Amino acid sequence: MTVEQNFVALDQFPAGMRVLAVDDDQTCLKILETLLRRCHYHVTTTNQAQKALELLRENKNKFDLVISDVDMPDMDGFKLLELVGLEMDLPVIMLSAHSDPKYVMKGVTHGACDYLLKPVRIEELKNIWQHVVRSRFDKNRGSNNNNNVGEKRDGSGNEGVGNSDQNNGRANKKRKDQYNEDEDEERDDNDDSSTQKKQRVVWTVELHKKFVAAVNQLGYEKAMPKKILDLMNVEKLTRENVASHLQKFRLYLKRISGVTNQQAIMANSDLHFLQMTSSLNGLDGFHHRPTTVGSGQFHGGTPGMRPFPSNGILGRLNSPSGIGVRNLSSPPAGMFLKNQNDLGKFHHVSSLPLNHSDGGNILQGLPMPLEFDQLQTNNSNNIRNMNNNNKSIAGSSMAFPSFSTQQNSLIRAPNNNLVVLEGHPQASPSGFPGHQINKRVEHWSNAVSSSTLPPPQTSNSIHHQFDVSPLPHSRPDPLEWNNVSSSYSIPFCDSAASTLSPPALDTTNPGAFSRNTDFDSNANVQPGVFYDSLQMRQSGNYGPTTDAAMLSSNPKEGFVVGQQKLQSGGFMVADAGSLDDIVNSTMKQEQSQGELSGGDMGYGGFSSLRTCI
Amino acid sequence: MDALISQLQRQFRDYTISLYQQDFLDDQFTELKKLQDDGSPDFVAEVLSLFFEDCVKLISNMARALDQTTGAVDFNTVGASVHQLKGSSSSVGAKRVKALCVSFKDFCEAQNFQGCVRCLQQVDIEYKTLKTKLQDLFNLEKQIIQAGGIVPQVDIN
């Protein structure tokens, strides 16, 4: 889809949402594709995970969402999930016939934003767009913290929890504070509690070094946020800041190198980690709520979005692994990247009327971390806009606060409640190295200028990625597969039967059941073809059940052995599908409740989550 | 002509209902039918084609894996194929096939060779039976259309 098409499609979001579907089973893939098209999504399919990765890598902006099967021969679905999250930061939905909760758990811990059971129903697919919205929105929110909330309530949002008071040296309630904070769980707080104000902590290399030193000193396993905070002895850093940074750090280490190498990694990973975490702020938003979001509710600021606890927890469920896994923006952009992204996003948003349809616009504008072209063009505009919005701009931090201001004003657009925020620039925090800001700005501009966006490609060429090429794409006469077994007599009892004799065998259709001629095409089905080696030619009991006449008159004959099994099994199974769904959704709820009770580290539910990782 | 059409339609309806009642098909098949429209008039047949192809492939995989003459039986491979067959059969609404897959899977996990082999044979029979039945159904549809009628929507209750 070209860029222009993207914009057009935005207006009709969720229609036109670009989905990449991966499943090695061609039947399921075909059905999935059709279902998705029926939801008016734009679908690309492939039956190979490798191919999917290639497609994604080729152009990160090409897709909004990935749906992938779990069991695939060339790559484990969970692995694909991780890779996609790590490299492309796209929401991924898992699909499987396994209803076993441990698979669901695995999906969740690997960062899936949803887990669907086969057979997939269209109702479920109709809701998947919420994951796209949510992930984008949370990324934005990450950079804007509580600006929204605070501003939304008319600047009264300066009281907040203790940490924000600590950090907020300014009494001016209208100012936005500068501190960037890695805000996983706290972002949810912003959403729902109207008065919390989070400071943004910028985890500079120096700061991170202190952090790592403190962790090392305490011992990695024993490192607790409070102690780390004390050791670091950095003014205006709160325990929450440290806690969330620690969590990300841990996840990062686990992801990168496995538990045993942590020490080695810790020594060298500062910059890498920081680069990773710069974009991680947006990641806690994978709130695992597959079905309950209403259509108009994708803007997060409204209280109706979801109740905080369960959703927040579920978000956390996803986020730690999600954080570790997802969204590695390209190194040069480093820590700044997040803001850049937001910039780009917000710029788009700002140019659009503030209404619900912006949800889609925002999404498109936002999405991939590396929309450098947009950022590039937007940069100067943004600065101009921001300067307009800014009431005050601290000296050396000019670029930086202006970005955040931009974010402030724009983040609200999806909520449609946006009052253009009296942009209060986050002036250069005195407590944090101001000089770092300029460096980051440099990084950013370097990144912007040096990156080239690959030319948008139409995705038409990659439709129908069936590597197994069963059917020609032009519609074959589907009834031709009847011809292959023309030797079966048609089982109709009345005189009309004579009209039903199948037409002459048409062997020219390559797509139909030509392979089935392997089987003896007589009415007697002999298992013999495969089973010779098994020496199980018991065609007596199992054999001629496909005698059509027999079937029509009494279909149960000949199924003697099988039938009994089926009878008992069949009806049970009939319920299993729906049961699975119920279990699945119950599991999710249980998970959320379980997590809620587990908080002992001050993260809320993370402690129990940690054990899952 | 009309008499023929109504006769065919009646047959079609009765036959369809019987397929559901005998658990050859389930709701998922109904869902597939709903997806079929003027834009994709042969959707169901296409999907079922793919399904039957998959059956052939998977059954052959399973048979190979269950072949004792090449050494120890790899129940994992069998299980993987069964799992896939379960997924696709449930997606098309092939109720009996899916049910078989459930027991088949249990046998695989229990590493019950005899059970597996039996299931494999049954699966083979089942899918072929279903194929035949659906061929008949599609033939009926074709005939109705050729006779100038429309294929009735059958309400399964």
Side-chain angles (χ1 to χ4, degrees):
Chain A
M1 227 172 162
T2 64
V3 175
E4 291 71 34
Q5 282 171 338
N6 285 347
F7 282 92
V8 169
L10 290 180
D11 291 332
Q12 304 116 18
F13 190 87
M17 184 174 84
R18 300 157 306 165
V19 182
L20 174 65
V22 189
D23 192 340
D24 63 317
D25 182 333
Q26 59 176 350
T27 311
C28 298
L29 192 59
K30 174 89 180 161
I31 295 177
L32 184 62
E33 181 185 11
T34 309
L35 288 172
L36 289 169
R37 292 239 159 87
R38 205 46 67 94
C39 298
H40 308 296
Y41 302 141
H42 187 266
V43 187
T44 308
T45 61
T46 172
N47 62 359
Q48 288 185 343
Q50 251 338 102
K51 188 83 179 94
L53 271 178
E54 279 170 30
L55 287 172
L56 289 166
R57 282 171 181 154
E58 173 183 305
N59 182 351
K60 293 189 163 89
N61 297 342
K62 215 167 187 168
F63 299 103
D64 299 310
L65 179 72
V66 178
I67 299 184
S68 168
D69 186 37
V70 166
D71 311 286
M72 291 189 287
D74 63 331
M75 185 191 299
D76 181 28
F78 294 117
K79 184 102 180 84
L80 177 66
L81 165 61
E82 271 190 28
L83 288 174
V84 172
L86 209 63
E87 295 184 27
M88 292 117 205
D89 188 30
L90 283 176
V92 180
I93 294 179
M94 302 307 295
L95 198 56
S96 178
H98 286 297
S99 57
D100 190 346
K102 71 174 193 281
Y103 281 88
V104 181
M105 175 63 86
K106 200 169 174 195
V108 167
T109 56
H110 282 70
C113 61
D114 207 347
Y115 189 105
L116 301 177
L117 292 183
K118 289 182 183 174
V120 180
R121 295 163 312 166
I122 198 166
E123 296 79 17
E124 294 171 333
L125 293 177
K126 282 195 170 132
N127 280 332
I128 59 176
W129 58 266
Q130 61 175 287
H131 301 293
V132 177
V133 178
R134 195 179 289 126
S135 80
R136 305 279 166 74
F137 185 71
D138 287 332
K139 272 190 228 160
N140 298 344
R141 254 193 317 145
S143 49
N144 289 321
N145 293 17
N146 55 146
N147 304 332
N148 329 326
V149 180
E151 285 301 348
K152 182 181 178 179
R153 279 136 181 104
D154 235 4
S156 63
N158 250 1
E159 51 276 13
V161 289
N163 58 329
S164 62
D165 287 338
Q166 268 177 29
N167 289 337
N168 184 6
R170 290 173 179 81
N172 183 350
K173 292 187 177 177
K174 287 193 172 181
R175 298 279 300 264
K176 287 301 148 226
D177 282 326
Q178 177 90 349
Y179 306 100
N180 283 326
E181 181 173 65
D182 296 332
E183 241 197 277
D184 320 340
E185 65 279 20
E186 285 155 332
R187 198 169 308 123
D188 290 333
D189 294 341
N190 287 338
D191 228 6
D192 304 281
S193 72
S194 54
T195 58
Q196 288 180 7
K197 190 175 166 93
K198 295 295 181 298
Q199 310 310 320
R200 304 194 59 90
V201 170
V202 176
W203 282 94
T204 63
V205 177
E206 280 182 20
L207 198 61
H208 182 68
K209 280 201 166 96
K210 282 192 184 167
F211 167 81
V212 173
V215 171
N216 277 334
Q217 193 175 336
L218 290 169
Y220 176 79
E221 294 301 327
K222 293 205 170 75
M224 303 285 286
K226 187 80 180 83
K227 294 187 185 155
I228 297 174
L229 183 65
D230 292 340
L231 275 177
M232 284 174 73
N233 194 21
V234 173
E235 224 183 85
K236 298 200 176 119
L237 190 62
T238 70
R239 199 199 70 79
E240 274 76 9
N241 300 143
V242 174
S244 78
H245 193 69
L246 175 64
Q247 185 188 28
K248 282 188 182 155
F249 188 60
R250 282 197 167 127
L251 286 163
Y252 163 76
L253 292 178
K254 279 191 168 105
R255 287 285 164 210
I256 297 303
S257 64
V259 178
T260 55
N261 290 337
Q262 274 154 6
Q263 296 304 322
I265 293 297
M266 281 167 69
N268 299 322
S269 66
D270 296 348
L271 189 59
H272 186 207
F273 172 63
L274 291 172
Q275 287 164 354
M276 280 183 68
T277 54
S278 66
S279 308
L280 293 180
N281 291 340
L283 294 178
D284 69 328
F286 286 99
H287 301 288
H288 199 75
R289 285 283 217 108
T291 55
T292 59
V293 173
S295 59
Q297 297 281 338
F298 52 75
H299 40 278
T302 58
M305 180 86 167
R306 50 196 180 257
F308 164 62
S310 59
N311 205 33
I313 299 299
L314 282 174
R316 291 172 213 174
L317 257 186
N318 286 322
S319 63
S321 49
I323 286 176
V325 167
R326 293 181 178 279
N327 194 15
L328 277 186
S329 42
S330 71
M335 283 186 283
F336 220 79
L337 189 58
K338 177 168 56 63
N339 293 331
Q340 302 165 27
N341 299 339
D342 300 330
L343 252 193
K345 300 168 195 181
F346 294 135
H347 182 76
H348 280 298
V349 171
S350 65
S351 60
L352 297 165
L354 301 181
N355 54 31
H356 281 287
S357 65
D358 279 358
N361 294 328
I362 288 170
L363 288 183
Q364 279 302 335
L366 315 184
M368 311 302 158
L370 302 176
E371 289 191 82
F372 285 120
D373 61 336
Q374 292 166 352
L375 290 173
Q376 199 165 9
T377 54
N378 293 340
N379 183 26
S380 54
N381 292 338
N382 288 337
I383 291 182
R384 262 182 275 122
N385 290 343
M386 289 182 288
N387 289 337
N388 293 338
N389 288 334
N390 285 350
K391 296 268 165 79
S392 65
I393 296 174
S396 65
S397 61
M398 156 134 13
F400 190 68
S402 56
F403 291 137
S404 6
T405 306
Q406 179 75 346
Q407 296 161 4
N408 296 346
S409 51
L410 292 175
I411 185 60
R412 302 311 264 159
N415 293 332
N416 194 20
N417 294 323
L418 200 151
V419 175
V420 176
L421 301 178
E422 327 292 320
H424 293 296
Q426 298 174 4
S428 174
S430 53
F432 290 90
H435 62 277
Q436 291 285 351
I437 293 171
N438 291 336
K439 261 200 226 162
R440 285 192 297 277
V441 175
E442 283 171 25
H443 282 163
W444 178 74
S445 51
N446 286 343
V448 170
S449 55
S450 63
S451 71
T452 52
L453 199 64
Q457 299 175 8
T458 61
S459 56
N460 292 334
S461 56
I462 38 177
H463 284 182
H464 304 297
Q465 293 286 353
F466 297 107
D467 291 339
V468 177
S469 55
L471 298 171
H473 292 313
S474 56
R475 267 193 342 246
D477 177 1
L479 299 182
E480 285 189 358
W481 54 263
N482 292 334
N483 298 335
V484 175
S485 33
S486 58
S487 56
Y488 291 118
S489 56
I490 306 301
F492 285 98
C493 307
D494 57 24
S495 57
S498 61
T499 64
L500 298 179
S501 54
L505 193 69
D506 179 3
T507 54
T508 58
N509 179 7
F513 292 82
S514 49
R515 296 191 219 163
N516 294 331
T517 52
D518 287 342
F519 290 99
D520 186 348
S521 56
N522 288 340
N524 294 338
V525 173
Q526 294 171 5
V529 175
F530 291 136
Y531 308 144
D532 282 352
S533 55
L534 300 179
Q535 296 167 1
M536 299 286 287
R537 274 182 175 272
Q538 299 171 14
S539 42
N541 274 342
Y542 307 119
T545 56
T546 55
D547 180 332
M550 231 170 75
L551 287 173
S552 63
S553 52
N554 184 355
K556 299 200 175 175
E557 274 179 30
F559 284 99
V560 176
V561 175
Q563 196 75 341
Q564 289 158 2
K565 272 201 182 146
L566 285 172
Q567 297 237 327
S568 55
F571 294 105
M572 278 169 17
V573 170
D575 296 331
S578 50
L579 259 183
D580 287 346
D581 291 338
I582 294 170
V583 167
N584 193 31
S585 52
T586 318
M587 267 298 303
K588 291 178 187 158
Q589 289 168 13
E590 285 173 3
Q591 284 172 358
S592 68
Q593 288 158 15
E595 298 297 3
L596 260 178
S597 56
D600 62 349
M601 305 249 323
Y603 301 98
F606 284 107
S607 58
S608 49
L609 178 60
R610 214 176 281 258
T611 61
C612 298
I613 299 172
Chain B
M1 201 56 170
D2 285 339
L4 176 63
I5 292 176
S6 359
Q7 191 181 33
L8 290 172
Q9 287 174 333
R10 206 169 45 241
Q11 281 174 18
F12 177 83
R13 187 176 285 114
D14 293 343
Y15 196 54
T16 304
I17 292 177
S18 77
L19 289 180
Y20 280 87
Q21 284 176 344
Q22 291 161 29
D23 289 337
F24 283 101
L25 299 172
D26 64 16
D27 290 338
Q28 186 62 22
F29 187 78
T30 319
E31 294 295 317
L32 285 188
K33 284 227 107 156
K34 285 190 202 162
L35 287 178
Q36 181 165 296
D37 60 9
D38 293 338
S40 47
D42 301 318
F43 172 68
V44 179
E46 284 174 13
V47 172
L48 268 302
S49 282
L50 292 177
F51 172 66
F52 290 129
E53 281 182 27
D54 279 350
C55 284
V56 172
K57 187 178 73 177
L58 291 171
I59 288 177
S60 125
N61 288 348
M62 293 184 225
R64 233 187 336 250
L66 282 172
D67 182 0
Q68 282 183 313
T69 65
T70 60
V73 171
D74 182 1
F75 285 101
N76 286 336
T77 310
V78 185
S81 295
V82 173
H83 175 72
Q84 187 167 346
L85 187 61
K86 180 180 163 204
S88 43
S89 58
S90 65
S91 299
V92 301
K95 196 169 178 181
R96 287 192 183 185
V97 177
K98 183 190 168 187
L100 264 180
C101 287
V102 174
S103 358
F104 199 160
K105 214 169 173 185
D106 291 338
F107 282 125
C108 283
E109 278 162 24
Q111 307 217 341
N112 180 337
F113 180 75
Q114 292 294 334
C116 284
V117 171
R118 244 187 350 256
C119 278
L120 181 61
Q121 291 169 339
Q122 285 165 0
V123 163
D124 190 53
I125 291 164
E126 275 303 334
Y127 100 84
K128 285 172 178 163
T129 309
L130 181 65
K131 189 167 137 199
T132 312
K133 297 253 175 198
L134 288 176
Q135 282 166 359
D136 297 341
L137 197 66
F138 287 126
N139 276 342
L140 257 185
E141 280 187 0
K142 202 172 172 187
Q143 297 219 323
I144 293 174
I145 293 170
Q146 279 174 350
I150 47 167
V151 180
Q153 300 275 41
V154 183
D155 189 18
I156 315 292
N157 278 337

